[in-house]
Amino acid sequence: MGTQIHWLAVLAAAVAGFAVGGLWYGPLFGKAWMAERGVTPESAKAGSNMGLIFGTTFVLNLIAAFVLDHVFGTYGHPAMGLAVMISGGIAAAFVVTSIGVNYLFSQVSLKLFLIDAGYWLVIYCVMGALLAALS
């Protein structure tokens, strides 16, 4: 027994997640994130394959959106409010806690944790809202 996947909604959610990342790590928190990571604009450009980074990021967002749509299918494709609560709950319970454990052992700053964890919480809520709206 399978659930129907809404491919256009999955694609839109992945694109939106990618766009949120551009805003989050650009004008919103880019400078703070770079400072916490010890990255300079010069070091960010040196030796990085941005095509590979952005392409892989998009594919990973696509996978997350696909699985989230599948999860929603098990709930009968919930309305917007419930979809955002489910996706936010998934982010808070699984993604944010996993990042938290890694960051505790890596001994990175609380500020960096809040920037990165906040991104994942927002991106999942945006994906959930779009999947609900377009399904």
Side-chain angles (χ1 to χ4, degrees):
M1 183 157 91
T3 61
Q4 177 184 358
I5 299 299
H6 302 91
W7 293 106
L8 184 58
V10 167
L11 182 62
V15 169
F18 195 79
V20 168
L23 291 171
W24 196 266
Y25 291 104
L28 294 177
F29 300 105
K31 288 181 183 177
W33 182 85
M34 288 177 76
E36 291 300 306
R37 281 283 181 197
V39 175
T40 65
E42 295 78 25
S43 68
K45 292 177 186 173
S48 63
N49 184 340
M50 297 311 283
L52 178 64
I53 291 169
F54 288 147
T56 304
T57 297
F58 181 75
V59 169
L60 294 172
N61 282 344
L62 196 58
I63 293 168
F66 171 83
V67 172
L68 194 55
D69 189 60
H70 177 73
V71 168
F72 288 169
T74 65
Y75 287 93
H77 290 285
M80 177 77 67
L82 183 56
V84 172
M85 286 184 358
I86 292 168
S87 57
I90 289 170
F94 296 106
V95 180
V96 170
T97 57
S98 298
I99 291 171
V101 169
N102 287 358
Y103 281 25
L104 283 170
F105 281 95
S106 299
Q107 299 180 4
V108 299
S109 71
L110 176 61
K111 186 175 184 178
L112 182 60
F113 168 75
L114 292 173
I115 292 169
D116 288 340
Y119 162 71
W120 285 108
L121 186 58
V122 169
I123 189 177
Y124 268 76
C125 289
V126 167
M127 284 184 173
L130 273 172
L131 289 168
L134 299 175
S135 296

